């Protein structure tokens, strides 16, 4: 398998150094990498799962609004960034596998390098209750 | 193919008597096949290229990995630029917004240089390289962005069944002692994969690298691990730190070699050296 573009490789290196959860996806939405803090949200280790197709990771936590109503996947910032190639931001709730809801904020940005090629997107998550 | 190493030093040129063995000129190599030649990087090593003897045709091709001073310093004094009969093609990495021509002009213009780029007597053709494949004569060249501060590409040059990869400045993994376990997370992997010859950055010792993380360079250990991972067949350790004397560099190399056991030849680059591929 050929190596990822440099922008993706360097994004992973940055994500590796951060204490906020970071997801990196390719233009098809495949989760290429998630860092250690993100492993806590997914409940899975990157070294165990490797890259995950969007259908797998997209259903691992159940995004919903304040009233518990499921969010349409198209409303998720990362999905919007993949579709529109622009940054996106949203605050919403996710439900972990043990049923607990957490209010999170997500900011996603497109990864477009010097080749002007859209290589994917990176999303940073905040758990609004956790003080860093 | 044959490669001639005209400059092997990193950062800045040195003429110290203690730096004569590996040479004091900064990065420049020539790739040769029959009477076809391309020059890669224009450090002070380019002053050792014999233009009068080997460059009878009007067209000259100079490929630049990036615009750090040690890779373009010799360009200002490169004879063909001052010959109106010559057509000099300069290939270098695209930036995010400013053109290659404009970035080059920042150096090749007053007050750093007496004349602006547009007044150089030769016909200059400046070509921007993103991640791309192109041909110059019989050379099939791939350029790809690699990990180093500022827009920087590595080159893979293929001719017939042989290939050479040149990455004089490269930090394939930043701040870690080993490359990521998966090949697809290794910067520059595609270019180096199964190359017959890999000329790679190795400016620092393992210990020195710990205080130079993010500066864009490799240690001898990382260079060799990168070569092994990419299954390249011969490693030339390049971009010597000018603060190392020859004796120190030799000692560093011996210590390193005593701790590893790779199945490909590893040697320190020597200015003037010619390597048959
Ligand atoms: Zn350099
Ligand atoms: Zn450099």
């Amino acid at each position: 398998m050929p190596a990822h573009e440099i922008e993706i490789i360097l994004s992973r290196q940055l994500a590796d150094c951060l204490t906020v959860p970071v997801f990196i996806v390719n233009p098809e939405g495949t989760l290429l990498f998630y860092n250690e803090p993100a492993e806590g949200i997914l409940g899975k280790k990157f070294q165990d799962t490797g890259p995950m197709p969007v259908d797998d990771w997209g259903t691992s936590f159940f995004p919903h609004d304040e009233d518990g109503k499921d969010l349409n996947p198209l409303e998720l910032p990362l999905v919007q960034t993949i579709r529109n190639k622009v940054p996106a931001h949203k605050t919403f709730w996710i439900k972990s596998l043990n049923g607990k809801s957490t209010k999170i904020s997500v900011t996603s940005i497109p990864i477009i390098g010097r080749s002007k090629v859209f290589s994917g997107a990176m999303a940073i998550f905040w758990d609004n209750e956790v003080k860093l | 193919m044959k490669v001639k190493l005209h400059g092997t030093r990193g950062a800045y040129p040195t003429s110290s008597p203690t730096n004569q063995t590996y040479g004091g000129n900064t990065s420049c190599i020539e790739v040769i096949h029959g009477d076809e030649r391309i020059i890669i990087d224009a450090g002070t090593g380019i002053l050792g290229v014999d233009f009068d003897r080997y460059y009878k045709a009007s067209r000259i091709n100079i490929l630049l990995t990036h615009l750090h001073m040690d890779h373009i310093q010799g360009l200002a004094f490169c004879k063909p630029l001052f010959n109106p009969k010559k057509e000099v093609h300069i290939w270098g990495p695209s930036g995010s917004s400013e053109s290659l021509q404009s970035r080059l002009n920042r150096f090749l213009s007053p007050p750093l240089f007496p004349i602006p780029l547009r007044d150089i007597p030769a016909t200059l053709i400046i070509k921007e390289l993103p991640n791309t494949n192109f041909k110059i004569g019989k050379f099939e060249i791939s350029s790809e962005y690699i990990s180093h501060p500022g827009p920087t590409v590595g080159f893979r040059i293929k001719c017939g069944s042989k290939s050479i990869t040149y990455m004089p400045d490269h930090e394939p993994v930043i701040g870690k002692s080993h490359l990521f376990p998966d090949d697809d997370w290794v910067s520059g992997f595609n270019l180096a994969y199964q190359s017959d010859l890999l000329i790679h950055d190795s400016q620092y010792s393992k210990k020195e690298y710990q205080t130079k993380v993010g500066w864009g360079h490799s240690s001898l250990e990382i260079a060799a691990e990168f070569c092994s991972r990419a299954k390249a067949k011969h490693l030339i350790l390049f971009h010597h730190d000018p603060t190392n004397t020859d004796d120190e560099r030799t000692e560093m190399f011996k210590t390193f070699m005593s701790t590893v056991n790779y199945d490909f030849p590893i040697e320190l680059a020597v200015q003037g050296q010619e390597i048959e591929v």
Side-chain angles (χ1 to χ4, degrees):
Chain A
M1 183 172 162
H4 298 302
E5 278 153 357
I6 192 65
E7 301 79 27
I8 296 285
I9 292 175
L10 292 176
S11 298
R12 174 187 173 157
Q13 298 215 9
L14 170 65
D16 247 357
C17 307
L18 300 180
T19 55
V20 287
V22 174
F23 284 34
I24 298 168
V25 298
N26 72 9
E28 288 74 48
T30 300
L31 184 53
L32 295 177
F33 177 73
Y34 49 98
N35 64 359
E36 221 177 287
E39 289 176 344
I41 289 184
L42 262 185
K44 291 171 179 172
K45 288 205 163 294
F46 177 67
Q47 63 182 44
D48 297 333
T49 65
M52 289 166 77
V54 66
D55 290 346
D56 284 3
W57 70 263
T59 53
S60 289
F61 38 76
F62 308 92
H64 59 91
D65 65 15
E66 207 167 359
D67 306 320
K69 197 169 130 290
D70 286 350
L71 286 186
N72 184 325
L74 295 179
E75 293 179 64
L76 297 175
L78 205 43
V79 176
Q80 288 185 0
T81 297
I82 291 296
R83 289 168 65 96
N84 307 323
K85 303 184 176 67
V86 292
H89 178 82
K90 194 174 182 67
T91 296
F92 55 97
W93 281 256
I94 54 169
K95 203 181 287 175
S96 68
L97 293 172
N98 63 20
K100 183 184 175 291
S101 279
T102 309
K103 185 182 179 186
I104 61 164
S105 294
V106 179
T107 297
S108 61
I109 56 160
I111 301 175
I112 301 173
R114 296 182 183 114
S115 293
K116 314 280 190 287
V117 172
F118 177 67
S119 311
M122 181 159 94
I124 298 178
F125 290 60
W126 284 263
D127 176 340
N128 287 277
E129 267 126 58
V130 171
K131 297 276 172 286
L132 290 174
Chain B
M1 258 186 307
K2 192 165 70 174
V3 180
K4 184 156 187 187
L5 309 181
H6 289 285
T8 63
R9 192 62 60 176
Y12 57 84
T14 170
S15 59
S16 155
T18 59
N19 275 337
Q20 301 297 307
T21 307
Y22 303 112
N25 280 326
T26 62
S27 300
C28 176
I29 69 163
E30 217 176 352
V31 184
I32 302 159
H33 175 74
D35 49 16
E36 295 192 48
R37 285 168 182 250
I38 51 173
I39 295 160
I40 315 188
D41 276 343
T44 56
I46 203 170
L47 302 175
V49 174
D50 192 341
F51 287 104
D52 296 331
R53 185 159 171 206
Y54 296 115
Y55 291 82
K56 303 285 188 210
S58 60
R59 176 173 165 164
I60 288 160
N61 292 286
I62 302 173
L63 279 58
L64 303 174
T65 55
H66 63 308
L67 305 194
H68 284 164
M69 204 58 162
D70 52 326
H71 298 257
I72 60 167
Q73 207 162 25
L75 202 56
F77 309 101
C78 173
K79 266 164 89 177
L81 257 56
F82 304 94
N83 181 345
K85 294 195 183 105
K86 294 289 182 188
E87 195 178 271
V88 181
H89 293 238
I90 299 177
W91 315 66
S94 325
S96 297
S97 48
E98 193 179 359
S99 71
L100 177 62
Q101 167 135 6
S102 147
R103 284 183 294 134
L104 272 173
N105 196 51
R106 284 208 239 157
F107 165 48
L108 291 172
S109 64
L112 297 181
F113 188 63
I115 52 171
L117 207 55
R118 64 173 183 277
D119 289 344
I120 279 173
T123 304
L124 274 190
I125 294 145
I126 296 176
K127 293 177 178 163
E128 303 212 351
L129 295 170
N131 289 344
T132 188
N133 299 318
F134 57 104
K135 275 187 98 169
I136 299 177
K138 288 200 177 61
F139 301 113
E140 294 169 45
I141 302 159
S142 306
S143 83
E144 215 176 89
Y145 289 107
I146 55 174
S147 173
H148 186 66
T152 303
V153 292
F155 291 112
R156 180 185 179 103
I157 303 103
K158 188 168 169 282
C159 190
S161 61
K162 299 288 184 180
S163 54
I164 295 162
T165 299
Y166 175 71
M167 293 184 200
D169 295 45
H170 185 214
E171 186 175 7
V173 63
I174 300 174
K176 291 179 181 287
S177 51
H178 290 285
L179 303 178
F180 286 117
D182 302 314
D183 296 340
D184 46 350
W185 290 103
V186 177
S187 160
F189 182 84
N190 301 339
L191 292 174
Y193 186 60
Q194 291 188 338
S195 285
D196 294 285
L197 179 69
L198 172 64
I199 300 170
H200 196 279
D201 188 341
S202 62
Q203 180 148 339
Y204 305 125
S205 69
K206 194 175 186 171
K207 189 160 172 263
E208 283 169 342
Y209 177 68
Q210 290 166 4
T211 58
K212 315 275 184 186
V213 168
W215 289 32
H217 300 290
S218 289
S219 62
L220 285 80
E221 286 76 10
I222 289 286
E225 190 182 341
F226 177 81
C227 183
S228 166
R229 177 66 72 77
K231 298 185 175 61
K233 296 179 189 117
H234 182 178
L235 174 63
I236 299 288
L237 297 166
F238 197 80
H239 210 267
H240 307 306
D241 193 322
T243 63
N244 291 152
T245 64
D246 290 327
D247 289 349
E248 285 166 341
R249 191 73 175 154
T250 305
E251 201 50 44
M252 188 189 288
F253 178 66
K254 277 191 190 157
T255 307
F256 157 69
M257 289 299 278
S258 69
T259 61
V260 294
N261 184 23
Y262 287 113
D263 60 356
F264 47 83
I266 304 177
E267 49 187 315
L268 289 173
V270 175
Q271 183 177 311
Q273 183 181 7
E274 291 187 12
I275 307 155
E276 203 63 58
V277 180

